[in-house]
Amino acid sequence: MIEGHFIVIEGIDGSGTTTQCVRLADRLTAKGLPVHITREPSDGPIGMLIRQVLTGRVVVPGHHGAHPSSWATMAALFAADRLDHLEAEIVPNLTDGVSILCDRYDYSSVAYQTVSSGGGSEAARWVRELNRRARRPDLALVLDVSPEVAASRRRSRSGSPELYETDAMQAELAAFYSTIDELFPDDRIRHIDANRDIEGVAEAIWAEVAALRGESP
Ligand code: TYD
């Protein structure tokens, strides 16, 4: 059995990772290729806990305002969720010949937890080390979007902003993602200009996936 491809889509909040995962899945499915869409935080038990922290539903009695989990605690939770996600969902599908399209992976941990730690390179190295056992994807697509475009997309969504969704943090994250390749020298990372409309971004992604598959777009 030939293994499926493991493809990750990354970017700041509002960059369009979820929309583009669905677009890419539709396109691969139309070609008759089996695909499975998934995301991190995952839908497993640790991922569910993380989502409750992100939306402020895990509350510490007597504590008002933002939850107090440190960036290091969050990094450890995300890393544990990732290993569980790999074992329970990602690897079994790949082994069955199903390609995985994953909305965020350890690039998000390195970006978000490092930026929320204050941005030091020591933190980035530690987060990478925590994720050392996380299988490398075949392709990581980073959706580069200006913080202003992403902010206007986020404002058009329903619901309250999550933990990391402040304009200041998202601007720092956009800068971090633009040079994230330096922290993952062995990975196949491709940057996509995501300031365009959905179709334009989907086409650019398709060209990269076709190249991975050894086809012309
Ligand atoms: P997101 O992917 O935007 O999902 P939803 O649209 O369902 O809210 O939310 C996940 C948030 O978690 C996002 O702000 C990025 C952050 N995150 C990290 O900080 N570290 C990680 O390792 C991952 C996977 C996500």
Side-chain angles (χ1 to χ4, degrees), residues 20-125:
Q20 293 299 334
C21 270
V22 174
R23 285 294 171 119
L24 179 55
D26 288 348
R27 225 158 157 172
L28 289 167
T29 305
K31 276 179 88 82
L33 297 163
V35 305
H36 176 71
I37 293 192
T38 187
R39 61 178 182 170
E40 291 191 356
S42 78
D43 295 315
I46 307 166
M48 304 283 269
L49 170 63
I50 295 172
R51 283 183 190 281
Q52 292 183 353
V53 174
L54 294 175
T55 53
R57 294 200 61 196
V58 172
V59 201
V60 175
H63 183 91
H64 298 289
H67 79 92
S69 300
S70 72
W71 66 272
T73 303
M74 294 304 289
L77 280 174
F78 280 114
D81 179 47
R82 185 158 301 120
L83 293 179
D84 178 56
H85 189 204
L86 280 159
E87 281 171 34
E89 195 174 343
I90 297 176
V91 174
N93 273 290
L94 294 174
T95 309
D96 282 350
V98 178
S99 287
I100 288 282
L101 303 185
C102 192
D103 188 345
R104 300 189 177 283
Y105 197 55
D106 62 352
Y107 309 95
S108 282
S109 284
V110 171
Y112 282 73
Q113 276 61 65
T114 301
V115 167
S116 51
S117 80
S121 57
E122 207 274 319
R125 276 195 301 277

Side-chain angles (χ1 to χ4, degrees), residues 68-193:
S69 300
S70 72
W71 66 272
T73 303
M74 294 304 289
L77 280 174
F78 280 114
D81 179 47
R82 185 158 301 120
L83 293 179
D84 178 56
H85 189 204
L86 280 159
E87 281 171 34
E89 195 174 343
I90 297 176
V91 174
N93 273 290
L94 294 174
T95 309
D96 282 350
V98 178
S99 287
I100 288 282
L101 303 185
C102 192
D103 188 345
R104 300 189 177 283
Y105 197 55
D106 62 352
Y107 309 95
S108 282
S109 284
V110 171
Y112 282 73
Q113 276 61 65
T114 301
V115 167
S116 51
S117 80
S121 57
E122 207 274 319
R125 276 195 301 277
W126 182 72
V127 177
R128 274 235 67 187
E129 184 58 21
L130 262 185
N131 287 280
R132 189 150 60 90
R133 298 185 70 91
R135 175 180 172 137
R136 300 324 303 153
D138 298 302
L139 173 65
L141 297 155
V142 176
L143 306 187
D144 286 327
V145 68
S146 81
E148 294 74 27
V149 169
S152 81
R153 289 183 192 161
R154 286 197 305 279
R155 276 193 286 274
S156 65
R157 288 181 189 163
S158 57
S160 322
E162 289 187 350
L163 181 61
Y164 300 118
E165 293 183 357
T166 64
D167 289 352
M169 168 117 185
Q170 294 292 322
E172 280 186 61
L173 283 164
F176 194 98
Y177 269 113
S178 68
T179 59
I180 201 161
D181 315 41
E182 292 164 12
L183 294 163
F184 294 88
D186 299 327
D187 288 12
R188 181 179 176 117
I189 298 177
R190 298 291 183 266
H191 288 262
I192 305 287
D193 174 2

